[in-house]
Amino acid sequence: MDIETVFPEIESIDDDTLRTGVASAWTTAAGINGLDVEDLPELPWLPSAQRELEIDADDALLVEHVRDVTSCAVGLAESLLARNPDLDIDLDIVISGALVHDVSKPYEFDGMETTEVGELLGHPHYGVAVVSRANLPVEIAHIVLSHSSRTAVEPATLEAEIVRRADEVAAAGIRSKAVDDPGET
């Protein structure tokens, strides 16, 4: 199995450098953690939240979440562009950023347990190192760093704002399965 099988959305990135960088980031993240690419679809989404909400590891998976975020982000971007064609939104940056926004979660968690990286840095901070190592541009590193409230960095580009909102919606979708009151998500 190759990374494009795990994340078929990679093929929709027009820019060769971005496409290669996204694939490299995920392959590196898997390899450094002693995982094979085939292991990625089995990783839990967010073990700390899953424990708190009593969501089984198999009921909320990282790859499914990343793919949901990517789909939501593309939908938001395309909808905005359809109604406002003068907006300057780079779809390749949106897709690439959405695909790697959680690339370092394999460093933050070992199964359902939090690692030292997770406790001391968290995935947004460590994710910047992962995407930089993959030679992805600073716009992608910014998306990774600003997608989560675990950092004080707010989105400074429309692409980063789109990915952050898509991530929030996808995460709320997972949480909504575990709570009776949607306001709790």
Side-chain angles (χ1 to χ4, degrees):
M1 177 183 298
D2 61 12
I3 200 67
E4 290 82 3
T5 302
V6 175
F7 296 109
E9 297 83 358
I10 290 173
E11 295 299 323
S12 66
I13 300 169
D14 290 331
D15 184 280
D16 291 337
T17 304
L18 289 175
R19 193 171 48 253
T20 300
V22 169
S24 174
W26 274 107
T27 302
T28 298
I32 287 177
N33 289 291
L35 302 170
D36 292 320
V37 169
E38 298 85 29
D39 298 324
L40 290 174
E42 304 305 316
L43 297 178
W45 158 65
L46 183 57
S48 54
Q50 288 175 247
R51 280 192 301 276
E52 181 182 321
L53 295 169
E54 299 178 0
I55 299 172
D56 289 335
D58 295 341
D59 290 338
L61 299 170
L62 178 60
V63 168
E64 290 178 8
H65 169 70
V66 169
R67 295 190 67 207
D68 286 347
V69 170
T70 304
S71 178
C72 286
V74 168
L76 279 170
E78 288 178 342
S79 177
L80 283 169
L81 286 169
R83 295 184 41 77
N84 303 286
D86 57 324
L87 285 176
D88 187 21
I89 300 174
D90 186 328
L91 280 175
D92 272 0
I93 295 292
V94 170
I95 297 166
S96 299
L99 283 170
V100 298
H101 82 281
D102 277 347
V103 71
S104 63
K105 277 207 182 160
Y107 298 89
E108 188 173 12
F109 299 102
D110 182 9
M112 290 294 282
E113 299 303 315
T114 304
T115 67
E116 193 171 32
V117 167
E119 288 180 20
L120 299 177
L121 293 177
H123 72 278
H125 295 286
Y126 203 75
V128 171
V130 177
V131 299
S132 295
R133 182 176 180 174
N135 295 314
L136 287 164
V138 69
E139 294 87 356
I140 303 299
H142 174 69
I143 289 171
V144 171
L145 192 57
S146 68
H147 87 273
S148 170
S149 61
R150 282 197 72 175
T151 75
V153 177
E154 292 295 321
T157 66
L158 192 49
E159 292 87 355
E161 188 71 44
I162 288 168
V163 173
R164 184 175 187 151
R165 299 302 171 208
D167 183 48
E168 290 170 349
V169 169
I174 292 170
R175 288 183 177 100
S176 73
K177 297 176 188 175
V179 296
D180 293 330
D181 179 3
E184 293 179 37
T185 63

